[in-house]
């Protein structure tokens, strides 16, 4: 039995891009409508990255990033500072299931099998 939780898009770069409908490995720039690759054609969801998206906005839309960031997060979108994640922060990236939801039942079953 496998269980997949849906992860929210948390990178600040998503303020400058949209996901291309029907093609999950492409993001479209909100400023110039360029299609930017999020990973290889065979990449699974975990394999998608935001590196190409960051490179694009830093190279072509630096002024827009600065305008967007003013008053919100400073230059957080321009300089990525690595910090150790906390457990609450990690779990805040996942949606919570209702106890009657099939995922909740599957989780309960998996825990019962381990006990």
């Amino acid at each position: 039995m496998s269980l997949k939780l849906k992860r929210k898009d948390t990178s600040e770069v998503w303020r400058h891009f949209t996901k291309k409908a029907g093609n999950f490995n492409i993001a479209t720039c909100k400023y110039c409508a360029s299609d930017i690759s999020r990973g290889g054609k065979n990449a699974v969801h975990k394999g998608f990255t935001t590196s190409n998206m960051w490179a694009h906005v830093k190279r072509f839309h630096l002024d827009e990033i600065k305008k967007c960031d003013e008053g919100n997060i400073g230059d957080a979108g321009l300089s990525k500072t690595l910090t150790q994640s906390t457990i609450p922060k990690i779990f805040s990236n996942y949606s919570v299931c209702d106890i009657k939801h099939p995922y909740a039942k599957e989780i309960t079953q998996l825990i019962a099998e381990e006990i």
Side-chain angles (χ1 to χ4, degrees):
M1 229 185 251
S2 67
L3 177 67
K4 292 183 181 180
L5 296 176
K6 186 174 180 178
R7 188 168 185 257
K8 297 177 186 175
D9 295 321
T10 56
S11 176
E12 291 293 328
V13 79
W14 282 110
R15 295 191 301 169
H16 312 287
F17 288 89
T18 57
K19 289 183 181 176
K20 187 163 185 129
N23 192 348
F24 298 112
N25 68 321
I26 299 290
T28 303
C29 177
K30 290 181 179 180
Y31 305 113
C32 66
S34 293
D35 288 340
I36 307 300
S37 174
R38 296 176 56 212
K41 292 180 181 178
N42 297 323
V44 294
H45 179 72
K46 286 183 180 180
F48 294 138
T49 69
T50 57
S51 300
N52 289 342
M53 296 159 63
W54 278 117
H56 175 80
V57 292
K58 286 178 183 177
R59 181 173 182 196
F60 297 107
H61 308 294
L62 193 57
D63 291 338
E64 286 89 346
I65 294 175
K66 288 180 181 178
K67 287 178 192 173
C68 186
D69 287 345
E70 283 177 10
N72 293 327
I73 57 170
D75 287 338
L78 300 176
S79 60
K80 297 181 196 176
T81 305
L82 298 177
T83 58
Q84 185 172 0
S85 293
T86 61
I87 291 175
K89 182 172 171 113
I90 291 169
F91 282 108
S92 71
N93 292 334
Y94 295 91
S95 52
V96 178
C97 297
D98 184 295
I99 195 164
K100 295 178 183 176
H101 192 279
Y103 280 157
K105 291 179 180 179
E106 188 175 349
I107 290 170
T108 302
Q109 180 64 37
L110 289 169
I111 292 170
E113 288 174 7
E114 291 298 317
I115 297 174

